[in-house]
Amino acid sequence: MTSLPTPTKEGGDPGVPGNPQSPDGLQAGLKNRHLSMIAIGGVIGAGLFVGSGSGIAAAGPAILLSYALVGLMVVLVMRMLGEMAAAQPTSGSFSAYADRALGRWAGFSIGWLYWFFWVVVLAVEATAGAVILEGWVPAVPQWAWALIVMVVLTATNLASVASYGEFEFWFAGIKVVAIAAFVVIGLLAVFGVLPGSDNPGAGFAHLTDSGGFLPKGPGAILTGVLMVVFSFMGSEIVTLAAGESSNPQRAVAKATNSVIWRIAVFYLGSIFIVLTLLPWNDPSIAKDGSYVAALNSIGIPHAGQIMNVIVLTAVLSCLNSGLYTASRMAFSLGRRGDAPRAFARTNARGVPRAAILSSVLFGFVAVFFNYKWPDTVFAFLLNSSGAVALFVWLVICFTQLRMRGIILREAPEKLVVRMWLFPYLTWATIAMISFVLVYMLTDDTGREQVLLSLLVAAVVIAIALVREARQRRTASDIPDEIPAGVARDEINT
């Protein structure tokens, strides 16, 4: 297979001597500690802190099963993605693998849909952060706080990948320490051994003392799945970031192997603490939020403000990673000829400046829509990107079915991470994700998200197929040219 030429620096200069670079021209500036914390923090979104109360209200203690089911799905998807990323690390991750395994249309479509998802997330998180900051400093309007936050994190990403990694290391570190402390303190309070606790320490009684473990019936477990599935999006970021590290194979293998305990501790562990400290139907959970209500039950002073600091950190972390992820996907699309070539250029620091600026520009526009037309234009953007996470996971599954054979044929020694019980668990995961998508059609909120997301996906796929057909015609009309698809695969083998 013909390899892609190494992308040039802006201005046409080749790579800068002395700066370690990955094969695609990006700077290999992420350290092991950066990647470790990105992997750990990637599964902890602001949705865990903010949205868990709604899930508890909908399913009661059975929300634990909802989190467990989605967590299992994420573990399996990450194992598949880890298998491919450890064998062939690349900034395009699953989009580049889909491009090769399923066809150009697949890589183009899922790449742009994933980019679209994250630039909408930028607007959501910037607004959420602005709400908290305006509460602390009301003299500065909300729109100004959103602007300040986005500008600061844009500057961080433009500086270097090491700057992104350093910021994310500390943002993710605060989230991890906060949840770990919450779990430890909560467990002590649950068993009545925390000094000065106001909680009666009922042990595990609250899991069944208010209508049983399934107070809303077994069907509520699936309702809970719909409410929590999107808070897991972000686990795959480490496979994109690994391409900018000195040892991507080791980083991906480590992150993939640790995803089980990360989900068990941070999601299941923290929600379990909330449900054992308070009855699931305690009014304070809906009023104050699940984590604040739990802290208040222990008697932690200023619990609301403490949680606001943690949520703001989670928001900034999500913004930082969202901008990084969107820009690297745009960069990958540019390298493969599926986006403007300017996106594939890097500066002297190995930063894809055009890809970052284009991503944040759309984010700014989305923030404007959120303030100007929140119930129309922005609601459409939000709902039309709502099911993209599930689409991405589904594409990863189908891609891995094909990529396993390609890796075994071309470089079997690189298959250092293997999907369990292949191909049976892969097909089982496909069935699980498909079932969730179908079940969403029975839910009023979920139905709108799935249908609008499918509409956007159909438009993007149609564009991809039209482009591919035109490129084939061009190649057949000019036989002296290299056929379309050759010398454009991002994965060099």
Side-chain angles (χ1 to χ4, degrees), residues 104-105 465 467-477 484:
R104 297 183 62 177
W105 67 271
L465 293 174
R467 288 179 76 256
E468 195 169 348
R470 285 180 176 175
Q471 288 167 348
R472 284 203 197 97
R473 283 200 300 271
T474 301
S476 62
D477 291 343

Side-chain angles (χ1 to χ4, degrees), residues 22-53:
S22 59
D24 55 13
L26 297 171
Q27 195 94 27
L30 292 177
K31 301 176 182 177
N32 286 335
R33 65 182 178 88
H34 293 153
L35 283 170
S36 296
M37 200 56 75
I38 289 169
I40 295 171
V43 296
I44 310 172
L48 173 63
F49 300 106
V50 178
S52 55

Side-chain angles (χ1 to χ4, degrees), residues 106-120:
F108 176 96
S109 302
I110 205 62
W112 277 113
L113 285 172
Y114 192 68
W115 179 87
F116 174 59
F117 172 86
W118 279 111
V119 293
V120 173

